[in-house]
Amino acid sequence: MTNIQPTFRALADPTRRDILLMLRDHDMTIGEVAENFDMTRAAIKKHLTVLSDGGLITVRAQGRERINTLNPLGMAPVLDWLTFFDAFWDDRLNALKSVIEKDNT
Amino acid sequence: MTNIQPTFRALADPTRRDILLMLRDHDMTIGEVAENFDMTRAAIKKHLTVLSDGGLITVRAQGRERINTLNPLGMAPVLDWLTFFDAFWDDRLNALKSVIEKDNT
DNA sequence: TTGACGTAATACCAAAAGGTTTCATATAAA
DNA sequence: TTTATATGAAACCTTTTGGTATTACGTCAA
């Protein structure tokens, strides 16, 4: 379980990443999110579904509205995957870093 | 500059993520990478092009071969973007913490 | 030089992705 | 109750994506 693919997929679209940044400030309904983009509510709804499938947001009903909330924990698996390269970085990134720093001085 | 989209896009495919993991151990030619998958060299070549566009690998010619090398620097922008949400998590956690502390006094 | 090998490049195809439109449904408000 | 609002859902369209097959080109080895 804990399939990482839906999360990577959710992060791959710029509109969805923008939505995540917006939700960082406060929860939003679908309509509120849609106001910030030049596309229909239906399109935004699809994006929110993808984000939900990726575990990056949670949705709760409140009357006729749907409140979308950021779930930062959903990013953990992605971060974990990326840190698989930590060992690699220790060896080569540091070497590169010192070269760059040398270049900037 | 430093457009992050090609990098997120490159990471969104499972085959490409597998390739990155393979390149962690050692550099590989296109043919060598292709041996590990049930698809044509041409398909693998396309994936490698996407990875290169995303800045996640570098390619150098060696005779008639193309050596593909992992580029850890390419992941930095993605990590930076994701850590934007670490701050979010810290904020929430700290807020919760202060509420609890307030509650206990 | 000849032939095998590794890759590049193009055309092509099916499926998925991102979007719109339309209509139905549930809830809020008058 | 009537009407407006917020969303859900399906059909549909276009572009992108992931893959194949084919052909051509540069390089290595006999």
Side-chain angles (χ1 to χ4, degrees):
Chain A
M1 200 83 97
T2 57
N3 186 9
I4 203 175
Q5 177 55 23
T7 311
F8 270 111
R9 189 219 158 186
L11 289 172
D13 183 88
T15 299
R16 289 194 289 266
R17 289 198 303 277
D18 284 345
I19 292 175
L20 290 176
L21 289 176
M22 286 178 192
L23 291 177
R24 220 167 134 249
D25 299 329
H26 47 78
D27 299 352
M28 299 173 87
T29 66
I30 299 177
E32 282 169 350
V33 173
E35 283 172 11
N36 293 277
F37 294 92
D38 187 24
M39 68 181 76
T40 62
R41 272 194 203 107
I44 294 295
K45 162 73 160 87
K46 282 191 183 181
H47 281 307
L48 289 169
T49 299
V50 174
L51 286 170
S52 176
D53 289 346
L56 294 171
I57 66 170
T58 58
V59 187
R60 69 178 186 279
Q62 190 173 74
R64 62 182 161 181
E65 296 180 335
R66 296 293 177 280
I67 315 289
N68 299 273
T69 306
L70 183 65
N71 177 29
L73 284 182
M75 307 210 186
V78 171
L79 276 173
D80 285 348
W81 191 91
L82 288 174
T83 52
F84 259 22
F85 296 89
D86 276 357
F88 192 92
W89 287 338
D90 288 346
D91 295 344
R92 313 219 183 160
L93 186 57
N94 286 336
L96 263 169
K97 200 175 168 188
S98 62
V99 168
I100 290 168
E101 282 168 354
K102 201 175 184 178
D103 222 41
N104 284 344
T105 53
Chain B
M1 200 84 95
T2 57
N3 187 9
I4 204 175
Q5 176 57 22
T7 310
F8 269 110
R9 189 219 158 185
L11 289 172
D13 183 87
T15 299
R16 289 195 287 266
R17 290 197 303 276
D18 284 345
I19 292 175
L20 289 176
L21 289 176
M22 287 178 190
L23 291 178
R24 224 174 56 128
D25 298 329
H26 46 77
D27 299 351
M28 298 174 87
T29 66
I30 299 176
E32 282 170 350
V33 173
E35 283 172 12
N36 293 276
F37 295 93
D38 187 23
M39 67 182 76
T40 62
R41 273 194 200 104
I44 294 296
K45 160 73 160 92
K46 281 191 183 181
H47 281 308
L48 290 170
T49 299
V50 174
L51 286 170
S52 176
D53 289 346
L56 294 171
I57 65 170
T58 57
V59 189
R60 68 177 187 280
Q62 190 174 74
R64 61 183 163 183
E65 295 181 334
R66 295 292 177 282
I67 314 290
N68 299 273
T69 306
L70 184 65
N71 177 30
L73 279 181
M75 302 210 191
V78 171
L79 268 177
D80 285 347
W81 192 91
L82 288 174
T83 51
F84 257 30
F85 296 91
D86 282 352
F88 174 93
W89 189 241
D90 287 345
D91 288 349
R92 288 290 169 98
L93 215 59
N94 287 334
L96 188 69
K97 199 175 169 188
S98 62
V99 167
I100 291 171
E101 282 168 352
K102 202 175 186 178
D103 223 39
N104 284 344
T105 52

